Amino acid sequence: MIEWIRYDDSSKRVANEIYYDLLQSEFKETGTFSDVESWSIDTIYQTTNASKEKAEYFVQQIVNGVGNLFKQDRNLATKGQRFLEHVNHIFELMIRLIELPDTEVYEDERTMVALELMNYLQATVQIRKDMFFRCVQYLVDLHASLKNYTEAGVTQLQHIRMLQWNDDPVLALGDMPASTERRRKEELYRSTIDFFDRSENWEMAIKLSEELREYYEHQIYDYDRLAQVLHDQAGFFRKITTSERVYCFYYRVAFYGQFDSDLNEKEFIYRGQVLEPVMEFTNRIQKKWPDAHIHKSSSIPDEELRSKHRQIISITKLAISTQEAMDQMPEKTSPFDQNR
């Protein structure tokens, strides 16, 4: 559809009418647009990654051409408008994602947009699993490329939890060939355990190993693989008792002044890299906002400081709290809690 609707007005009109007929037929049968919506968003996802211009044209045809047809149908006008808003919003998120520079400096922005897209898909669209898996894998690959292995593992758990121990087919994804849910789930378990091992989060590696052990021992009775997973699990226990782990520092970072609305007057918790001094962390943050003034205090900048600087970033190192202190904290201490 994306190619042939470009030819002339007559072809565009026919394409719009065919698309609209599909929507009408599904709504008449099921009361929803779920299948057409899923197909449309999947097509936009694939096309956006191949050609931003073609994807923009496709969405334009849906929103304008099909939108006019919805307006003429009193029974579908409201639901149709909601459908078009969904499609357009998802496309905007996809465009934001691909337009962000593929560099470490913009890792936070890419992560936030990818999460926003995944959450929106889960909340509003009955999507096919393979599309959601691609979004998850994008975020996994992003974290892994930045050596954020714990985050990569936690994200990949979403993929694992949506798969079942059955032989339903799954499509190829990245370096993983087409397979069954059973084999893909097992492969992802091993990959996720490896992420946690590399991040020295051996407690999580043990937990997932235990889930694999249960599968090998009580579901498929594969004692060779059971022996291997028990061997690996023993190694993780040994690492806990013999290895000296080095933990990252954490920082409170607050933005004041002329920043985007997503950042301005908000506070966030940043995790530094292993053994990264506060000065190196500060320099890394300032690369993105070279004109910002660094405020080395947790206090809110006063009017005098704000009058001197267009952008102010407050960076302070955080101390790890005890469990006792955490238990004594109220459920909400400040608006900062909502931005963590």
Side-chain angles (χ1 to χ4, degrees):
M1 177 183 289
I2 295 173
E3 290 294 338
W4 57 268
I5 58 178
R6 299 180 68 95
Y7 290 140
D8 53 49
D9 291 339
S10 176
S11 296
K12 294 175 187 178
R13 185 174 63 255
V14 171
N16 289 332
E17 290 174 353
I18 292 174
Y19 188 89
Y20 185 71
D21 286 344
L22 291 172
L23 290 165
Q24 275 188 316
S25 298
E26 183 179 3
F27 189 83
K28 184 177 180 180
E29 183 177 345
T30 67
T32 70
F33 302 127
S34 295
D35 287 344
V36 178
E37 186 174 26
S38 175
W39 174 86
S40 301
I41 295 171
D42 199 20
T43 301
I44 293 170
Y45 181 89
Q46 295 179 42
T47 310
T48 301
N49 284 280
S51 170
K52 174 185 172 184
E53 291 72 22
K54 288 183 179 180
E56 286 178 336
Y57 190 84
F58 180 43
V59 174
Q60 182 185 24
Q61 288 300 305
I62 293 177
V63 173
N64 295 333
V66 180
N68 290 331
L69 295 174
F70 271 130
K71 291 177 182 178
Q72 300 169 25
D73 190 329
R74 185 174 58 186
N75 295 325
L76 293 181
T78 301
K79 292 184 180 294
Q81 183 60 36
R82 192 176 301 121
F83 163 77
L84 296 176
E85 289 173 356
H86 281 329
V87 170
N88 194 55
H89 183 63
I90 289 172
F91 172 66
E92 289 174 350
L93 290 174
M94 292 177 182
I95 288 297
R96 283 172 56 193
L97 192 59
I98 66 172
E99 287 183 341
L100 286 168
D102 188 14
T103 64
E104 182 178 343
V105 175
Y106 288 89
E107 64 174 284
D108 299 318
E109 286 80 358
R110 286 188 290 154
T111 299
M112 285 175 16
V113 175
L115 283 172
E116 186 178 352
L117 176 58
M118 286 169 51
N119 292 336
Y120 187 79
L121 287 171
Q122 284 184 300
T124 62
V125 184
Q126 182 181 341
I127 58 168
R128 290 197 293 272
K129 281 185 177 181
D130 54 286
M131 179 185 173
F132 181 77
F133 293 159
R134 286 200 298 270
C135 294
V136 171
Q137 205 57 42
Y138 171 88
L139 198 53
V140 170
D141 293 341
L142 172 60
H143 285 310
S145 69
L146 298 168
K147 299 183 180 180
N148 296 330
Y149 297 121
T150 292
E151 287 80 358
V154 170
T155 303
Q156 196 155 260
L157 277 174
Q158 293 192 57
H159 194 161
I160 291 174
R161 301 310 184 205
M162 288 186 69
L163 294 170
Q164 304 300 319
W165 293 116
N166 60 42
D167 294 317
D168 292 349
V170 290
L171 300 176
L173 180 63
D175 296 332
M176 294 180 285
S179 184
T180 63
E181 288 203 24
R182 183 190 308 277
R183 291 181 179 176
R184 177 67 55 79
K185 189 178 180 78
E186 182 181 357
E187 182 179 2
L188 289 172
Y189 258 112
R190 293 192 173 280
S191 172
T192 305
I193 290 170
D194 181 61
F195 280 139
F196 287 129
D197 183 21
R198 295 169 74 177
S199 66
E200 299 185 348
N201 191 339
W202 296 306
E203 290 80 2
M204 280 298 298
I206 290 169
K207 179 181 178 181
L208 294 186
S209 297
E210 188 66 17
E211 294 176 13
L212 264 187
R213 182 200 64 76
E214 175 72 19
Y215 172 64
Y216 292 147
E217 184 175 1
H218 298 295
Q219 293 193 44
I220 64 172
Y221 310 106
D222 189 326
Y223 295 120
D224 286 334
R225 294 190 207 180
L226 174 62
Q228 183 61 54
V229 79
L230 289 173
H231 177 271
D232 295 341
Q233 196 175 40
F236 300 142
F237 278 110
R238 194 172 297 110
K239 287 179 179 179
I240 291 175
T241 60
T242 61
S243 300
E244 183 177 351
R245 283 185 272 191
V246 179
Y247 297 97
C248 301
F249 294 125
Y250 288 81
Y251 302 92
R252 168 194 170 273
V253 181
F255 299 85
Y256 305 97
Q258 298 180 27
F259 290 98
D260 293 339
S261 58
D262 291 341
L263 298 177
N264 197 33
E265 303 296 328
K266 294 181 180 178
E267 302 171 302
F268 301 88
I269 299 297
Y270 277 72
R271 190 189 68 185
Q273 298 173 356
V274 175
L275 299 179
E276 181 181 36
V278 63
M279 186 58 66
E280 288 186 16
F281 174 81
T282 301
N283 292 338
R284 189 155 56 89
I285 292 294
Q286 198 159 26
K287 283 183 181 178
K288 195 182 302 183
W289 297 282
D291 297 329
H293 170 74
I294 301 301
H295 182 53
K296 298 178 181 179
S297 170
S298 60
S299 63
I300 298 176
D302 56 27
E303 291 301 321
E304 181 181 357
L305 187 61
R306 289 174 183 259
S307 67
K308 293 180 180 178
H309 304 283
R310 187 173 61 88
Q311 294 179 325
I312 300 171
I313 301 177
S314 171
I315 300 178
T316 50
K317 185 178 176 182
L318 298 177
I320 298 176
S321 176
T322 64
Q323 186 61 48
E324 181 181 3
M326 292 292 291
D327 292 340
Q328 293 174 357
M329 288 181 63
E331 291 186 7
K332 275 189 178 180
T333 57
S334 72
F336 164 65
D337 294 325
Q338 300 175 8
N339 301 321
R340 282 190 289 188

